Amino acid sequence: MGWDEGSTKPELVTSTPGVSNVAASNVDVEGLDTVLWDQLPESVAICTAQGVCHYVNPAMERVFGSLGTELVGGVLWELYPDVLRQELQERFQRVAATGEPEEFEWHFMARERWFVLRLFRGHGRVYVFASENTAEKKQEAILRGLYDETRRAQRHAAFLAQASEVLASSLEHDEILQRLTFLAVPPLADGCIVDVPMPDGRVRRVAITHVRTELVERARAYHERYPIRLDALHGVGKVLRTGTTEFVPELRQDVAGGQARMEEVRRQAMMELGVTAYIIVPLMSRGRVLGALSLVNTEGGRRYTHADVRLAEDLARRAATSLDNGRLYTEAQEAVRARDSFLSVASHELNTPLTSLTLNVQALRRQLEASADKAPESVSNKVVAVQRQLSRLSSLVRELLDVSRITAGKLRLEREDMDLAALTRELLPRYAEELSRAGCALRLEAAETATGHWDKLRVEQVFQNLLSNAIKYGRGHPIDVRVGADSERAWLSVADGGMGIAQEAQPRLFQRFERLASERHYGGLGLGLWIVRQIVDAMDGRIHVRSAPGQGSTFTVELPRLPPAR
Ligand code: ADP
């Protein structure tokens, strides 16, 4: 039949041998002038109420690729392929019986062609019009495909954006991987597993999630029974070894049973866990395989496509980045811990001999002063210089000791009633020598009293740090110290006219080891202001700075006069 041999047949459209087509078609079919129908691009057949074709136009013949004579006299539905035959017959007979026109679309799948068929009744005949709309259908399909693709891309992008957020919200290795499986199930898979290689060559199953909780336990037990081998030819072992994705869109039970080549382990997985399709993607970062993400279907409701593979790979990339960040963070934390522990040991080790050295130098100085035969001036000057350097050294070691104490959470306050104004007045004379050596005049503007309930030694330390900095960074400029209080708080401010601090650097001032001034010209460990901040915070106070380059700096500490009720 013409449908099966199709358009490859020569387009012979003569309906009466030896007569031209136009002339032959231009015949009167039971009183009907068909000349117009001969010209129509649409296929037309005119049939009796029983379905016998009396006339078919050239367009119809072209579609069938047959001679009009073969079609004329045939029963309409029998000209069509089997798949349409029954439906066409039913519709035809309905139209013939009722006179109600019918219109329907027919997809001739074998040839990927689409037609719209229309049937009318008139003058005791049934007219059948068939027009092909394959081009529109194909265009529509392309557009639908593009639309679906765009929608899928949008959904994937939204999913990945959410995934990035979820994955970045933890830095802990196993937690990240657990979250990864929660993300994947159910949007991407019925079950999701993450396995990571261990240094001893074994594989650890870190996270597993499934829509059916009973399968989680079964998958764990399965893993214990069949541990993953890195030399496996397929599956997780291979992905971990090679860093390449493995994708099986559909794994059918019957195929698996009959296929002797199928690896035993995969066959078992299918049988025991009901896996029907899977994607295994590597978690890669900087060329290293950190793990494998397996997405499995067990409920049979979904097939995997290449778009799913791309999405799984994108998800795995994001997870690997999070793992990498987590690793870097852990390493950084370990490095900080190692540094803190070294500082603690070092500061204690330094402090012991330093204390005894300081005591000995003090004793030596006293002896020299008490001795009847005075030592030469150069010797006593040297002893004084040694003592000054020792005191500097001691204060550096004290800073280190304080840092390790505070980091270990051992900053304990010994609160007592005290007067900040009185304390400042009491402390200032101790700095007279240092101030004069630096060429700094000191002006004090203090209230009569500024009492509160604070740790006196710690407040002293705060004052000392601020004043030492003012002297160190404001040499040759006057220093103003102000102390005051109102009903709720007391304050202490130290203002120098020194080098000042750039606005953008100010937020960093109170961080550990932060040093802004040139290390060559100004000694220090970058710890003083950090310690001050910790002390002030512990007393529920606050510290702030006002400064501009070349215009000096003012550090102000405010302390609540009463500690908040806890
Ligand atoms: P350091 O031991 O370096 O003085 P600090 O923690 O006391 O450590 O201070 C941190 C940094 O803040 C200093 O290195 C310095 O650059 C800057 N700084 C502190 N006080 C002043 C000040 N009064 N004037 C200018 N810069 C200051």
Side-chain angles (χ1 to χ4, degrees):
M1 182 70 237
W3 279 107
D4 303 315
E5 286 131 36
S7 51
T8 50
K9 265 196 151 188
E11 291 188 358
L12 192 57
V13 290
T14 336
S15 45
T16 309
V19 183
S20 86
N21 182 46
V22 172
S25 302
N26 191 7
V27 292
D28 191 70
V29 178
E30 292 177 14
L32 273 175
D33 185 356
T34 58
V35 69
L36 287 175
W37 287 327
D38 283 349
Q39 312 304 317
L40 277 184
E42 201 174 7
S43 308
V44 183
I46 304 173
C47 307
T48 64
Q50 287 70 40
V52 178
C53 295
H54 265 204
Y55 164 79
V56 292
N57 74 346
M60 181 87 133
E61 288 165 355
R62 274 196 296 276
V63 171
F64 282 89
S66 306
L67 293 173
T69 43
E70 288 172 23
L71 305 178
V72 170
V75 175
L76 180 79
W77 44 88
E78 284 173 1
L79 304 174
Y80 282 84
D82 292 351
V83 280
L84 183 63
R85 217 163 272 167
Q86 195 185 346
E87 184 181 1
L88 185 57
Q89 183 179 357
E90 279 168 17
R91 286 182 184 271
F92 188 99
Q93 288 169 343
R94 229 177 8 246
V95 173
T98 65
E100 282 295 318
E102 298 233 359
E103 177 176 324
F104 68 106
E105 196 168 80
W106 173 51
H107 179 196
F108 184 27
M109 274 197 261
R111 295 270 179 86
E112 267 311 280
R113 295 177 78 175
W114 283 262
F115 296 89
V116 177
L117 277 85
R118 283 188 295 270
L119 294 90
F120 306 92
R121 193 184 74 179
H123 308 292
R125 300 182 193 88
V126 176
Y127 297 76
V128 181
F129 293 81
S131 50
E132 180 164 4
N133 61 350
T134 301
E136 288 97 309
K137 281 287 172 186
K138 285 197 168 158
Q139 204 162 12
E140 215 175 82
I142 291 170
L143 286 176
R144 195 166 340 101
L146 280 175
Y147 176 73
D148 288 350
E149 188 57 36
T150 313
R151 285 286 309 272
R152 191 167 39 234
Q154 280 170 343
R155 272 202 314 273
H156 285 188
F159 175 77
L160 288 172
Q162 186 212 354
S164 297
E165 224 170 89
V166 172
L167 292 170
S169 61
S170 172
L171 288 166
E172 212 269 308
H173 181 273
D174 288 11
E175 174 68 27
I176 292 169
L177 295 179
Q178 190 65 59
R179 287 179 189 202
L180 176 62
T181 64
F182 291 156
L183 277 167
V185 175
L188 301 184
D190 300 323
C192 178
I193 299 173
V194 182
D195 297 291
V196 297
M198 300 209 292
D200 62 5
R202 285 183 303 141
V203 174
R204 184 164 72 96
R205 181 144 285 187
V206 181
I208 173 161
T209 300
H210 196 280
V211 283
R212 284 198 280 136
T213 40
E214 73 270 17
L215 275 184
V216 171
E217 265 327 296
R218 214 186 294 169
R220 274 192 209 292
Y222 177 80
H223 176 66
E224 297 202 344
R225 211 154 5 109
Y226 301 100
I228 290 160
R229 294 170 52 116
L230 289 178
D231 58 0
L233 290 176
H234 297 284
V236 174
K238 183 188 166 206
V239 173
L240 289 175
R241 187 180 68 249
T242 60
T244 51
T245 296
E246 186 169 302
F247 167 43
V248 174
E250 201 173 10
L251 199 61
R252 292 208 324 270
Q253 202 91 19
D254 50 332
V255 175
Q259 209 176 54
R261 281 184 297 117
M262 174 163 276
E263 233 190 325
E264 178 57 17
V265 173
R266 282 209 296 168
R267 208 172 60 78
Q268 286 287 344
M270 275 178 47
M271 310 293 276
E272 293 197 20
L273 306 175
V275 176
T276 55
Y278 68 81
I279 301 174
I280 308 174
V281 289
L283 298 168
M284 303 264 297
S285 175
R286 298 182 228 195
R288 249 172 17 104
V289 183
L290 308 176
L293 168 74
S294 307
L295 300 174
V296 300
N297 278 336
T298 55
E299 310 301 292
R302 105 178 82 201
R303 290 187 80 244
Y304 281 133
T305 63
H306 286 282
D308 295 314
V309 174
R310 280 198 302 278
L311 180 58
E313 284 174 343
D314 272 348
L315 182 64
R317 248 191 304 281
R318 280 162 166 78
T321 306
S322 290
L323 286 183
D324 227 19
N325 290 344
R327 186 179 56 79
L328 291 175
Y329 178 72
T330 311
E331 280 174 14
Q333 263 187 327
E334 270 160 20
V336 167
R337 254 197 302 277
R339 181 199 67 191
D340 287 348
S341 121
F342 169 78
L343 277 183
S344 166
V345 172
S347 50
H348 280 97
E349 287 298 313
L350 287 170
N351 195 42
T352 316
L354 198 56
T355 314
S356 110
L357 193 58
T358 308
L359 290 173
N360 280 321
V361 172
Q362 272 169 0
L364 182 63
R365 186 173 174 183
R366 272 197 304 273
Q367 271 174 17
L368 281 177
E369 280 166 3
S371 156
D373 16 280
K374 284 260 172 228
E377 206 176 283
S378 61
V379 175
S380 6
N381 282 351
K382 278 186 181 129
V383 172
V384 171
V386 167
Q387 219 176 4
R388 201 179 306 129
Q389 293 305 324
L390 268 180
S391 127
R392 206 171 112 65
L393 194 55
S394 301
S395 78
L396 288 172
V397 170
R398 232 186 347 264
E399 277 191 349
L400 288 178
L401 279 171
D402 266 339
V403 170
S404 44
R405 231 172 263 141
I406 293 170
T407 331
K410 290 185 188 148
L411 176 68
R412 300 230 191 300
L413 295 180
E414 310 260 337
R415 286 181 188 266
E416 58 186 297
D417 288 333
M418 57 164 285
D419 182 348
L420 184 58
L423 178 73
T424 314
R425 278 191 284 269
E426 182 191 320
L427 289 176
L428 275 182
R430 293 193 204 165
Y431 294 89
E433 197 193 324
E434 204 179 327
L435 281 163
S436 89
R437 259 204 319 267
C440 298
L442 190 128
R443 295 183 295 236
L444 172 67
E445 201 182 303
E448 184 100 359
T449 59
T451 54
H453 199 68
W454 307 300
D455 183 320
K456 194 169 175 184
L457 282 179
R458 291 298 179 185
V459 174
E460 196 178 315
Q461 200 177 351
V462 167
F463 176 68
Q464 234 169 35
N465 266 314
L466 295 183
L467 190 59
S468 307
N469 279 349
I471 297 171
K472 184 156 63 165
Y473 300 108
R475 292 182 83 80
H477 298 276
I479 295 173
D480 289 286
V481 174
R482 292 187 183 85
V483 184
D486 60 20
S487 57
E488 285 171 8
R489 47 189 197 121
W491 59 86
L492 160 76
S493 78
V494 179
D496 64 61
M499 62 200 303
I501 304 155
Q503 185 77 27
E504 61 278 11
Q506 291 177 15
R508 304 204 314 267
L509 278 180
F510 301 97
Q511 290 172 12
R512 247 193 312 178
F513 304 112
E514 198 60 63
R515 305 215 57 226
L516 305 175
S518 133
E519 290 180 14
R520 233 152 46 98
H521 297 108
Y522 300 93
L525 299 173
L527 293 171
L529 286 181
W530 181 78
I531 294 172
V532 166
R533 171 71 166 273
Q534 303 303 310
I535 295 172
V536 171
D537 280 353
M539 287 192 282
D540 304 300
R542 57 189 209 106
I543 178 165
H544 50 92
V545 60
R546 230 186 39 241
S547 182
Q551 291 179 31
S553 315
T554 302
F555 284 85
T556 306
V557 169
E558 289 174 19
L559 297 173
R561 298 187 63 184
L562 289 173
R566 294 203 196 269

